Structures are given as structure tokens and as C-alpha cells.
Amino acid sequence: MNQLRNYFVLAVLVLSACILYILKSKTDEPVPTTRTVTLPKIEIEEDVRGNIVIIIDDFGYRDDKVSEGFLLLDANLTFAVIPGHHNSKVFAAKAAQRGFEVIVHMPMESKTKTPGEKEYILTTSMTSSEIEKRVEQVIAEFPEAVGMNNHQGSKATADKRIMNIVSNILKRHGKYFIDSRTTAESVAETTMRSRGIPTMRRHVFLDNENKKFKIREQLYKLADKAESKGLGVGIGHAKLNTFEVLKEEIPKLKEHGFKFQFASFAVE
């Protein structure tokens, strides 16, 4: 009987030892660790509310605080320089050096009296060779210029012969053309497109009325165009009121998601 009891006690001890061993083995298992994975930072481009292109015409007439002021504006602006004036070449070089885009503001015949720039203006009475010579001349005079738009030109831009000649020369030199749209009868844009010249038309004139509140209205009309269509092309002039409005409003427009682009961004 005692022997049987001893076997039972021995069995209990063995069983207890086995249980303790198993529990100890579980405790000694390595505890899973948590890995921290650092993902690369992804740069997300800020949404652009609209692209605004502003071309400022008529540089070359003046060299004063107004022309200098435009060169201090913090935006990608395109400056159109009229050939043949004392300050034309100087301003073009200075603007390009400051990082702005420069184009030739080519004088063209208007339906009304067209004063000034007699040695440069393109008229319907000129021969094709005369027109070609004048366009070649301004391209040579302004090596900074990457394109061209028309100064006045309500008669010349409605003349397909003149626009064909201009397009041939621009294509030869790799320049673009902006149709200022001084007349609804203009064939400049359609002619340029048919000849494979990068081109675009003006959507808004900023300062036909030289009053600050009117210029501001036109600027925000341009912003509305840029927001609804993705792109708005506006033309203003080298005037004090235009400069002051742009100085005040450009930072606000940029803050609200609008991006200012050179005219070369718009052409296609």
C-alpha cells in the first residue's frame, strides 16, 4: 500500500515538473517587437487656382520710377518693348537681366491715324519685302525678345498677307506671337496657328480706362477668367496707375492660389 502511495506521489511530482517546465518555456519565448517604418516624405504640389499671364505694353518711351517700378514687381510678367525709342534697347536688356520675359511690341497700321514709329510700322501699302525687312530688323535689334505682339494694328492684323509674312519670319527665328486683339476682325491668331506659330490671344485689357478702380476691376475679371478656364491673358500698359494696382493686388492674388506665368506659358 505504501509502495502504491509512493508511486502516486512520484507521478504527481513528475507531472508538476513537466507543467513548470512548459510554463517556463512559454515565458522565455521572445516577445514580438513593433517595427517603426519611416515613409519617405512626398512633396505635394500646391493646387493652382488659375494661371494669370500679364503683358505690359509700351516700354521704351520712358525711363523713370514707373518703368523701374515694374522691374521690382514680384511676379512672372512679360514686357512688350516698342522699337525705335531712346530707352527701348536699354529697357529690354535690363528687363531680361532681371528675369522678366521680353517681347517686341511691333508697330502696325491702325484703321485710325497711326502716329509714331514710322521707320518700324507695318502697313498694308508696303511691299512684302519691305515688311519682311522691318520685322527682321526688330528681331535683330532685340536679341532678348522671345516673341512679339502688335502695337495698335487694327488694320494690319486684319490683313492676311501681312500676317503670313510676319508668321514666316517668326517661324524662322523660333518666336511666338500674341494677338493683342485690337479689332474683332483680326486674323493674326488664326493665321499664326495655321502656319504652326505658337500663339494666343489677349482676353482682357487692364487699363483702357486709366482709373485705379477700373484697372482693379479688369484685373479681377482676368482672375475670374483664369479660374474658370485655367488661363487668362491680360494686357496693360506702362502707366503709373497700372503699376500701383499690380503692386497692391499681385500679392493678394498669389496668396489666394493664382500663379503668374510668362506669355510663353500660354502659347500653343
Side-chain angles (χ1 to χ4, degrees), residues 10 15 19 62 83 91 102 129 134 137 143 152-153 156 167 171 174-175 184 191 199 205 228 233 239 250 253 268:
L10 181 61
L15 180 61
I19 292 171
R62 60 198 310 167
F91 182 85
V102 175
S129 60
R134 290 195 171 188
Q137 179 183 348
Q152 300 180 341
S167 71
K171 190 167 188 175
K175 313 291 185 183
T191 302
T199 190
F205 271 127
S228 63
V233 179
K239 301 176 181 179
I250 282 174
L253 288 165
E268 57 183 10

Side-chain angles (χ1 to χ4, degrees), residues 53-55 76-78 101-103 146-147 176-178 198-200 231 233 261-268:
V53 170
I54 293 181
I55 302 163
N76 290 338
L77 302 175
T78 300
E101 191 165 86
V102 175
I103 62 176
V146 295
Y176 66 76
F177 188 85
I178 300 291
T199 190
M200 180 54 69
L231 174 69
V233 179
Q261 306 280 9
F262 293 129
S264 55
F265 174 88
V267 297
E268 57 183 10

Side-chain angles (χ1 to χ4, degrees), residues 189-208:
E189 182 189 15
T190 55
T191 302
M192 297 295 164
R193 289 195 188 283
S194 70
R195 306 300 292 272
I197 310 302
T199 190
M200 180 54 69
R201 67 168 62 191
R202 179 269 314 160
H203 299 130
V204 175
F205 271 127
L206 298 180
D207 51 12
N208 275 349

Side-chain angles (χ1 to χ4, degrees), residues 23 49 67 70 82 91 102 113 126 128 134 168 174 191 206 217-218 224 228 234 248 252-253 256:
L23 290 174
R49 189 169 173 183
S67 56
F70 277 101
I82 300 182
F91 182 85
V102 175
K113 187 178 179 181
M126 293 170 61
S128 297
R134 290 195 171 188
N168 288 339
T191 302
L206 298 180
E217 283 181 2
Q218 289 299 97
D224 289 341
S228 63
E248 294 167 6
K252 299 175 187 177
L253 288 165
H256 285 85

Side-chain angles (χ1 to χ4, degrees), residues 153-178:
S154 57
K155 187 172 184 179
T157 58
D159 189 294
K160 193 167 184 178
R161 179 181 70 95
I162 293 179
M163 291 299 101
N164 274 331
I165 297 167
V166 173
S167 71
N168 288 339
I169 302 164
L170 294 178
K171 190 167 188 175
R172 187 183 308 154
H173 293 278
K175 313 291 185 183
Y176 66 76
F177 188 85
I178 300 291

Side-chain angles (χ1 to χ4, degrees), residues 66-241:
V66 175
S67 56
E68 284 298 314
F70 277 101
L71 293 173
L72 297 176
L73 292 176
D74 184 21
N76 290 338
L77 302 175
T78 300
F79 295 147
V81 182
I82 300 182
H85 295 278
H86 180 71
N87 300 302
S88 300
K89 293 181 183 180
V90 173
F91 182 85
K94 192 186 300 184
Q97 188 176 19
R98 300 276 186 95
F100 294 95
E101 191 165 86
V102 175
I103 62 176
V104 172
H105 194 38
M106 190 72 202
M108 297 189 189
E109 184 180 8
S110 174
K111 291 178 182 177
T112 58
K113 187 178 179 181
T114 312
E117 297 85 42
K118 294 301 181 183
E119 295 180 4
Y120 292 88
I121 191 169
L122 307 182
T123 69
T124 53
S125 62
M126 293 170 61
T127 66
S128 297
S129 60
E130 287 173 327
I131 294 170
E132 182 172 356
K133 182 179 179 180
R134 290 195 171 188
V135 179
E136 287 283 3
Q137 179 183 348
V138 296
I139 288 177
E141 287 184 9
F142 295 94
E144 308 88 355
V146 295
M148 177 181 289
N149 72 342
N150 52 292
H151 171 58
Q152 300 180 341
S154 57
K155 187 172 184 179
T157 58
D159 189 294
K160 193 167 184 178
R161 179 181 70 95
I162 293 179
M163 291 299 101
N164 274 331
I165 297 167
V166 173
S167 71
N168 288 339
I169 302 164
L170 294 178
K171 190 167 188 175
R172 187 183 308 154
H173 293 278
K175 313 291 185 183
Y176 66 76
F177 188 85
I178 300 291
D179 185 355
S180 300
R181 297 293 293 178
T182 55
T183 174
E185 299 170 8
S186 173
V187 296
E189 182 189 15
T190 55
T191 302
M192 297 295 164
R193 289 195 188 283
S194 70
R195 306 300 292 272
I197 310 302
T199 190
M200 180 54 69
R201 67 168 62 191
R202 179 269 314 160
H203 299 130
V204 175
F205 271 127
L206 298 180
D207 51 12
N208 275 349
E209 293 187 59
N210 191 22
K211 298 176 182 177
K212 290 179 72 172
F213 80 94
K214 284 291 185 182
I215 297 169
R216 189 173 286 105
E217 283 181 2
Q218 289 299 97
L219 178 60
Y220 278 89
K221 181 179 178 182
L222 178 62
D224 289 341
K225 176 78 173 180
E227 184 172 14
S228 63
K229 301 297 183 181
L231 174 69
V233 179
I235 290 181
H237 297 82
K239 301 176 181 179
L240 177 60
N241 283 346

Side-chain angles (χ1 to χ4, degrees), residues 15-34:
L15 180 61
S16 299
C18 290
I19 292 171
L20 287 172
Y21 178 80
I22 292 170
L23 290 174
K24 187 176 184 303
S25 298
K26 290 285 187 183
T27 305
D28 291 343
E29 287 182 0
V31 178
T33 58
T34 302

